[in-house]
């Protein structure tokens, strides 16, 4: 497992060198996200995001893995990866949807109730969801690099999270810090986020 500061420096350098690819890959994949979030009813969006957006996100990760193998990435790799990883991407997409629904239902039910006990339950559930999401930080890379099945990769990602909690939390915090300012500028999110995360070396 690489040192976190080495990963952060390498990612920053790679994003700078590959800024055109980062922007292009992110723009293509995030167009789906913007359209679904802004123009599709909520329940339909919860079904479409795992089926449309997550395979493209997987494709970005796949394209950067191909880059490490041959020294360059191509736009075609994104779509090849999306088709190749359709199953794992959809499974992960629905996992994220379930986590989001748990979080939403928790605060919908307990958020309106008075009392410290209800607040404590809401905070605990939020912590549980966040940790569950962070525990899947390695899943796509395990599927792509190690050829694992999605469920085995999800289980092994949890093991890696428990074995290297500091590294995993630090890398996740890096992605979170990038996501917040980019979310505030929708164009920035569309142009940079997916390519940046896909370029984080595992």
């Amino acid at each position: 497992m690489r040192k976190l500061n080495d990963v952060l420096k390498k990612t920053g350098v790679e994003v700078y060198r590959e800024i055109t690819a980062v922007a292009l890959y992110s723009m293509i994949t995030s167009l789906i996200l913007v359209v679904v979030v802004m123009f599709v009813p909520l329940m339909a969006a919860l079904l479409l995001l795992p089926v449309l957006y997550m395979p493209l996100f997987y494709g970005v990760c796949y394209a950067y893995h191909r880059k490490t193998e041959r020294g360059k990435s191509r736009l075609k790799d994104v779509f090849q990866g999306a088709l190749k990883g359709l199953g794992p991407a959809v499974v992960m997409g629905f996992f994220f949807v379930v986590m989001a629904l748990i979080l939403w239902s928790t605060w919908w039910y307990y958020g309106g109730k008075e009392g410290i006990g209800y607040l404590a339950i809401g905070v605990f559930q939020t912590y549980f969801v966040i940790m569950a999401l962070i525990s899947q930080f390695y899943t796509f890379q395990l599927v792509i690099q190690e050829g694992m099945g999605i469920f085995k990769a999800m289980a092994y990602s949890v093991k890696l999270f428990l074995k290297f909690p500091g590294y995993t939390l630090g890398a996740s915090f890096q992605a979170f810090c990038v996501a917040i300012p980019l979310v505030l500028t929708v164009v920035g999110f569309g142009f940079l986020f997916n390519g940046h995360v896909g370029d984080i070396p595992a």
Side-chain angles (χ1 to χ4, degrees), residues 23-142:
L24 181 61
Y25 297 169
S26 296
M27 179 183 66
I28 291 171
T29 54
S30 293
L31 280 176
I32 299 295
L33 179 66
V34 172
V35 170
V36 171
V37 169
M38 295 185 67
F39 301 108
V40 176
L42 178 60
M43 295 309 296
L46 293 177
L47 295 175
L48 289 176
L49 285 174
V51 175
L52 297 178
Y53 175 71
M54 288 303 293
L56 288 173
F57 183 80
Y58 180 97
V60 172
C61 298
Y62 178 82
Y64 276 102
H65 174 64
R66 295 287 289 165
K67 176 180 176 295
T68 62
E69 293 181 327
R70 61 168 179 253
K72 63 179 181 179
S73 59
R74 301 175 301 183
L75 181 59
K76 183 172 69 172
D77 293 331
V78 175
F79 299 105
Q80 287 180 342
L83 290 175
K84 186 175 181 179
L86 182 63
V90 169
V91 171
M92 279 297 294
F94 279 110
F95 171 78
F96 290 140
V97 167
V98 169
M99 291 297 103
L101 289 175
I102 290 174
L103 191 59
W104 175 81
S105 63
T106 295
W107 287 106
W108 172 79
Y109 183 76
Y110 295 109
K113 296 180 178 294
E114 296 182 359
I116 192 68
Y118 295 116
L119 177 62
I121 293 174
V123 171
F124 174 78
Q125 286 284 75
T126 301
Y127 172 81
F128 166 78
V129 168
I130 292 173
M131 288 299 104
L133 293 174
I134 291 176
S135 74
Q136 296 307 308
F137 183 80
Y138 306 98
T139 300
F140 276 174
Q141 296 300 333
L142 289 169

